């Protein structure tokens, strides 16, 4: 890495609460930060992958809200937060009473973001930077916020989620109407109107559904 992740995150984010999950604080980019305006080429020049960890995406906010409002879903359980990003959903799971939460993301910067954000919320999280698609470590609950934005990624996720659900895991997905969301394979649990920014989305509010994958 050409840039130190912790120093960069501290310098280019502020401590904010996502509007739909005000109980949680995260280090996020805001309109006041240059990070909003940097192009992909500028990010590459400083050794920074697309900073998905710097934003509270609608799917993650909806899923985190659901966990905090329904703590029995994760209470006392072993949980995987897949494609964790900022760690928002993982933090919500831990605060809702999960016994253990593994935040997983292949972005090398995410580990630092998750560690800083977990510290802000006084929770302990495990982290792994491996591609876990296709694996099964016996998780009781698998969480995925806003992951169906790419067709190839969705094709990889669907059979994995299906198999996890088939052996008894609760596989919960937060999705704000992404194009490749396999709604026919899931049942809806809750729907929220989540405030977002026009800089990231096509509207200021995204209708976000929390789904449970069917076996």
């Amino acid at each position: 890495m050409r840039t130190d992740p912790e120093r960069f995150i501290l310098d280019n984010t502020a401590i904010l609460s996502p509007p739909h999950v005000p109980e949680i604080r995260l280090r996020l980019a805001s309109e006041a930060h240059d990070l909003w305006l940097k192009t992909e080429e500028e990010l590459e020049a400083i050794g920074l992958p697309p900073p998905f960890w710097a934003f509270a995406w609608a799917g993650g906010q909806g899923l985190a809200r659901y966990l905090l409002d329904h703590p029995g879903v994760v209470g006392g359980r072993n949980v995987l937060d897949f494609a964790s990003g900022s760690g928002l959903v993982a933090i919500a799971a831990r605060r809702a009473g999960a016994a253990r939460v593994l935040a997983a993301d292949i972005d090398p910067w995410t580990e630092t973001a998750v560690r800083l954000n977990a510290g802000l919320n006084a929770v302990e999280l495990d982290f792994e930077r491996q591609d876990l698609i296709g694996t099964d470590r016996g998780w009781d609950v698998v969480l995925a916020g806003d992951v169906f934005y790419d067709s190839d990624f969705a094709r990889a996720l669907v059979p994995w989620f299906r198999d996890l659900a088939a052996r008894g895991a609760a596989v919960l997905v937060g999705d704000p109407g992404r194009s490749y969301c396999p709604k026919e394979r899931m049942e809806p649990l809750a729907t929220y109107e989540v405030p977002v920014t026009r800089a990231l989305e096509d509207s200021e509010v995204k209708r976000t559904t929390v789904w449970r994958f069917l076996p």
Side-chain angles (χ1 to χ4, degrees):
M1 298 181 191
R2 293 187 292 278
T3 301
D4 175 63
E6 181 165 344
R7 185 73 265 153
F8 184 88
I9 291 171
L10 293 175
D11 288 346
N12 289 276
T13 61
I15 298 173
L16 303 170
S17 291
H20 209 62
V21 198
E23 305 97 316
I24 291 176
R25 299 191 304 158
L26 302 172
R27 283 206 160 269
L28 301 173
S30 72
E31 290 88 341
H33 293 101
D34 290 341
L35 188 56
W36 279 95
L37 306 175
K38 289 186 185 297
T39 66
E40 190 169 343
E41 291 76 17
E42 289 174 317
L43 293 172
E44 185 176 348
I46 61 173
L48 176 64
F52 295 114
W53 49 264
F55 307 104
W57 300 89
Q61 288 196 58
L63 185 51
R65 179 76 270 151
Y66 183 82
L67 298 176
L68 293 171
D69 291 347
H70 302 85
V73 173
V74 294
R77 297 186 176 181
N78 180 18
V79 176
L80 168 66
D81 177 30
F82 175 74
S84 190
S86 67
L88 167 60
V89 174
I91 291 166
R94 201 73 168 88
R95 290 191 58 169
R100 178 174 182 259
V101 179
L102 173 62
D105 201 298
I106 62 172
D107 180 346
W109 285 64
T110 297
E111 181 172 6
T112 302
V114 168
R115 174 174 55 79
L116 291 171
N117 289 332
L120 285 175
N121 294 277
V123 299
E124 292 186 7
L125 302 173
D126 297 326
F127 185 87
E128 189 158 329
R129 208 181 93 194
Q130 301 295 321
D131 182 357
L132 297 181
I133 295 175
T135 68
D136 186 354
R137 299 183 188 171
W139 303 292
D140 302 311
V141 182
V142 175
L143 306 170
D146 226 330
V147 292
F148 291 115
Y149 52 84
D150 175 83
S151 60
D152 291 339
F153 198 34
R155 279 195 294 270
L157 292 177
V158 167
W160 180 42
F161 287 168
R162 180 198 61 216
D163 290 347
L164 290 168
R167 68 95 171 134
V171 180
L172 272 58
V173 173
D175 186 85
R178 301 299 184 204
S179 298
Y180 305 104
C181 182
K183 297 177 183 178
E184 72 283 357
R185 297 180 178 272
M186 302 185 289
E187 61 177 352
L189 301 178
T191 300
Y192 304 102
E193 302 294 327
V194 179
V196 292
T197 174
R198 290 298 293 266
L200 292 176
E201 303 283 7
D202 55 3
S203 63
E204 294 180 352
V205 175
K206 295 290 286 187
R207 174 163 290 186
T208 298
T209 300
V210 175
W211 302 87
R212 179 167 179 153
F213 232 82
L214 298 171

